[in-house]
Amino acid sequence: INAFILCVLCIGWVKKKTLNSNEKILLLLACSRFWYLGISWVYVLFSEIYPYCLLVHPIFQLLQGSCTIFNCSNLWVSACLCVFYCIKIANFRNSFFIYLKAKIDRMVPWLLLGSVIFSLFIGILVYNIIDTAICKNLNFTCLGSFWKATIRIEEHFYPVFFLTGFLHTTSFMAVIFAAVFLLFSLWRHKRKMQTNSMKDLSTEAHIRAMKSILFFFIMYSINFTSFILALVYSTKYRNHVIFLVYLIQHAYPGVHSLILIFSNPKLEKTLLRILSCVKCKVCMR
């Protein structure tokens, strides 16, 4: 799903030689999610099929640091997308909000650059913390001791837990504020349009953006809850709750990207055209 978004936007970028602000955000978001899920898949492959590879320095640290970088980027860029929708579509007479609406297109590249730099910083920090903890606590060759030591090491990861918790909470608050402001703007706009029986383009844009943010808010809430459960059960290896949490966390980037496809006319049209071509080829066979 994320690879599809990447391909469509990159092809459009090559043809038009430019991307609008919304496409820039979607491109970086799809790229972050693609690599996050890809690296997670590699980690699961190693841990289940080649577990001793994780004992080779610094494979485990690199995988965890890379996952942190792309997951952090995923969270911040998705929050930026919600804020972008809110600023672009909501109507307020506040001077600061009007300034943001006029400058948001110029601010988007800097926001995305800041998200990438911050994600790199967090990923490097996580890599160093894990590397230090492993060097101090891991002195074994037995695989059974590996998981015991991992549990023991995770108990020393409270700074990482605090940092990731702050990251999730901050991005979640940004999504909440964007949804509330957009909902309030829609309510005010509908009050003004009560005398007019026809829907205008602004109302339709409000409703379309509100649906997208509402779906994202629900999914983000589930993902945030799963993150809290992950922190609570993080030291209990092979716990059924942890399995459910990881299932939710890894399903979220794909499902939300699918919603983004159907909320974007260009992506939806391309996907339906591809599906219709595939259907025709299958019928011909």
Side-chain angles (χ1 to χ4, degrees):
I1 294 170
N2 290 290
F4 166 78
I5 297 176
L6 275 173
C7 290
V8 173
L9 293 178
C10 288
I11 291 172
W13 190 4
V14 171
K15 289 182 178 179
K16 297 188 302 181
K17 307 296 182 182
T18 184
L19 290 174
N20 60 39
S21 297
N22 183 48
E23 290 173 337
K24 290 175 183 176
I25 299 174
L26 288 177
L27 183 65
L28 183 58
L29 182 61
C31 184
S32 300
R33 289 175 170 176
F34 176 82
W35 286 109
Y36 169 67
L37 293 174
I39 293 173
S40 299
W41 181 84
V42 170
Y43 176 76
V44 171
L45 181 68
F46 279 172
S47 61
E48 296 297 330
I49 302 178
Y50 305 107
Y52 287 101
C53 289
L54 297 177
L55 299 177
V56 179
H57 186 276
I59 292 180
F60 180 75
Q61 295 91 315
L62 283 174
L63 289 174
Q64 291 295 330
S66 301
C67 274
T68 302
I69 289 173
F70 292 113
N71 188 33
C72 179
S73 178
N74 165 35
L75 292 173
W76 276 108
V77 176
S78 56
C80 287
L81 182 64
C82 286
V83 174
F84 175 78
Y85 282 161
C86 176
I87 294 176
K88 269 290 187 181
I89 297 173
N91 292 317
F92 294 104
R93 294 183 178 179
N94 184 275
S95 58
F96 179 70
F97 191 85
I98 294 173
Y99 173 80
L100 287 179
K101 186 182 284 287
K103 299 291 184 180
I104 186 64
D105 288 321
R106 295 183 180 179
M107 293 169 61
V108 164
W110 294 105
L111 288 174
L112 297 180
L113 179 62
S115 299
V116 171
I117 294 175
F118 182 73
S119 301
L120 286 172
F121 171 76
I122 298 297
I124 293 171
L125 188 62
V126 168
Y127 175 92
N128 289 331
I129 292 175
I130 294 176
D131 188 58
T132 302
I134 289 178
C135 289
K136 287 183 178 179
N137 294 276
L138 249 58
N139 50 359
F140 54 83
T141 56
C142 177
L143 181 61
S145 302
F146 176 79
W147 298 120
K148 292 180 182 179
T150 302
I151 294 172
R152 187 173 69 250
I153 290 170
E154 285 178 348
E155 295 174 354
H156 301 284
F157 284 171
Y158 293 118
V160 177
F161 292 163
F162 174 79
L163 195 61
T164 53
F166 174 77
L167 169 68
H168 279 71
T169 304
T170 305
S171 55
F172 187 48
M173 292 300 295
V175 173
I176 292 175
F177 281 121
V180 169
F181 281 132
L182 193 58
L183 183 62
F184 182 66
S185 176
L186 175 61
W187 174 73
R188 286 184 57 190
H189 186 74
K190 291 197 72 174
R191 281 186 58 189
K192 292 180 181 179
M193 298 300 295
Q194 281 179 350
T195 55
N196 190 351
S197 59
M198 296 181 63
K199 289 184 178 180
D200 65 338
L201 294 176
S202 181
T203 303
E204 293 180 0
H206 269 84
I207 295 174
R208 188 166 58 249
M210 195 65 237
K211 287 180 180 178
S212 179
I213 291 182
L214 182 62
F215 278 122
F216 179 63
F217 175 73
I218 294 172
M219 295 181 60
Y220 209 107
S221 300
I222 297 173
N223 186 58
F224 184 76
T225 304
S226 68
F227 167 73
I228 299 299
L229 291 174
L231 293 184
V232 174
Y233 292 94
S234 59
T235 57
K236 299 178 181 179
Y237 179 66
R238 296 198 182 279
N239 187 285
H240 295 296
V241 177
I242 284 293
F243 174 77
L244 179 62
V245 165
Y246 287 161
L247 185 64
I248 293 173
Q249 289 182 338
H250 289 86
Y252 158 75
V255 176
H256 181 244
S257 294
L258 189 63
I259 294 173
L260 289 176
I261 289 175
F262 287 105
S263 62
N264 186 294
K266 177 182 177 181
L267 294 174
E268 182 182 12
K269 184 179 178 180
T270 305
L271 179 62
L272 294 177
R273 187 168 65 248
I274 292 173
L275 291 177
S276 63
C277 292
V278 172
K279 184 179 179 180
C280 291
K281 290 182 179 180
V282 171
C283 292
M284 290 175 65
R285 290 181 180 179

